[in-house]
Amino acid sequence: IQETTYRYVGCGAGEFEVVSQQKANYTCFYIGGGVGLVALLIVVVVLLMPTQTTTTTVSTTALPYNCNTRDNPDMWSLAKKTYCCANGGLGCPTTTTAAPTPAPTPPPTLPPTLPPTLPPTPPPTQPPPTLPYDCAAGLANWAAGWSDAKKAWCCAH
């Protein structure tokens, strides 16, 4: 008898007949992905739902004085009055204001004084008559340049 040893050469190889390769099965991935998307959608819807938010503020420090007590503010200590006046307008000292002193009366006003009257202005004087000749014109050459009438008039005046 002849002994044969076989060696693995891959899927579908080494067969005597034609064997088709087996396809991968992705069904698990499809189902897992669908479930993941539904879970993600639920988380998004829950996060986007409007909810009523309530906040509680806890005071960590107590106020030094309770200004809302119903007792007489006149019985409070000076420190409590000062604190409550500055922070709540309670316990502020009331000051009695004396009647204001009247303003001093102004001195009597004198009747307005009129400006002194000036004497009437005289009527304008008549301008001097125009002279028939200008004796200053051409004085350097008077003997040859002046007419006999101008010479006679300028010598007379």
Side-chain angles (χ1 to χ4, degrees):
I1 296 197
Q2 183 182 15
E3 203 169 306
T4 306
T5 57
Y6 294 98
R7 189 172 55 116
Y8 179 74
V9 291
C11 180
E15 298 284 338
F16 291 108
E17 295 173 7
V18 177
V19 179
S20 65
Q21 282 195 349
Q22 192 178 16
K23 290 187 175 183
N25 187 1
Y26 294 109
T27 306
C28 289
F29 289 116
Y30 293 140
I31 293 173
V35 170
L37 283 176
V38 168
L40 181 65
L41 182 65
I42 290 172
V43 168
V44 167
V45 167
V46 167
L47 289 177
L48 293 179
M49 284 178 53
T51 59
Q52 292 181 351
T53 57
T54 57
T55 58
T56 305
T57 305
V58 177
S59 178
T60 57
T61 59
L63 297 175
Y65 299 103
N66 183 3
C67 300
N68 294 325
T69 58
R70 300 289 179 209
D71 58 347
N72 186 0
D74 293 332
M75 304 302 288
W76 291 352
S77 67
L78 181 61
K80 183 175 180 178
K81 286 181 184 179
T82 305
Y83 176 82
C84 291
C85 183
N87 294 312
L90 300 172
C92 297
T94 57
T95 57
T96 57
T97 57
T101 57
T105 57
T109 56
L110 298 175
T113 57
L114 298 175
T117 55
L118 299 174
T121 57
T125 58
Q126 295 293 329
T130 57
L131 302 175
Y133 299 105
D134 183 8
C135 298
L139 183 62
N141 191 16
W142 69 271
W146 287 3
S147 64
D148 290 332
K150 182 174 180 180
K151 288 178 190 174
W153 191 86
C154 285
C155 285
H157 295 91

